[in-house]
Amino acid sequence: MFISRELRKNNIAEYLLYQWQVEDIIRAYDCNLGRLRREYISRFDYDEEQKEEMTDWLGDLVRMMNQEGCRQGGHLQINKLVMQQLCELNAMLLQSSKYPFYNSEYYKVLPFVVELRKRGMNAGENEIETCFNALYGTMMLRLQHKEISIDTQHAIKEISTFIAMLADYYKKDKEEPLEF
């Protein structure tokens, strides 16, 4: 929660990836708030007030996951909304002639997106969703200490650059709306 709050202000892409990870952590504990408190929250060096705040936050997420049918998979509506905002911003940036560097970066990443879709990722998803799924999948592989091919590392580096640029435009647009 403390990390989430900071990331939401500073880097929307990292925030979304973090939120997806929290969803998976909640699932790993069977959406059981008691287990989360005993086995997860207790591992952090938090004072009692922070532990209660973290428990309340995770409890809210558990309730939302139950209500929204996300216990087994998928993403919470709050996270889908962020993805939708990023997809809409991407479309506006691409349609505008005022952001040639963004356009250039998008077309640099597009072949990787096409390749990912060929390899079985959801063909019906937006390019931004495909990029985030690739980033999250790679993050999970790294956490599991699994090997990542040189080609995948290269693709992820390019995708990361592109998503970082999108996140930067998102932050700028929130601070002072961009002109399209």
Side-chain angles (χ1 to χ4, degrees), residues 143-159:
L143 287 172
Q144 297 167 22
H145 304 288
K146 294 194 176 172
E147 191 173 326
I148 300 166
S149 73
I150 298 295
D151 288 344
T152 300
Q153 288 178 39
H154 174 70
I156 292 302
K157 183 175 185 249
E158 296 297 334
I159 289 169

Side-chain angles (χ1 to χ4, degrees), residues 21-81:
Q21 188 176 21
V22 169
E23 289 171 341
D24 281 345
I25 288 167
I26 290 170
R27 288 185 193 105
Y29 289 93
D30 300 317
C31 296
N32 182 316
L33 188 58
R35 279 191 64 206
L36 280 160
R37 181 162 175 86
R38 278 189 318 275
E39 300 170 28
Y40 180 69
I41 297 170
S42 66
R43 295 189 291 172
F44 295 97
D45 188 28
Y46 293 150
D47 61 35
E48 281 308 308
E49 186 178 321
Q50 289 172 315
K51 286 180 181 177
E52 284 306 312
E53 206 174 334
M54 184 72 147
T55 300
D56 289 346
W57 179 66
L58 287 173
D60 288 342
L61 293 176
V62 167
R63 277 186 287 286
M64 287 189 285
M65 288 175 76
N66 286 325
Q67 290 170 348
E68 296 176 22
C70 297
R71 284 181 66 97
Q72 303 302 317
H75 298 296
L76 288 167
Q77 210 51 48
I78 57 172
N79 297 329
K80 288 179 183 179
L81 179 61

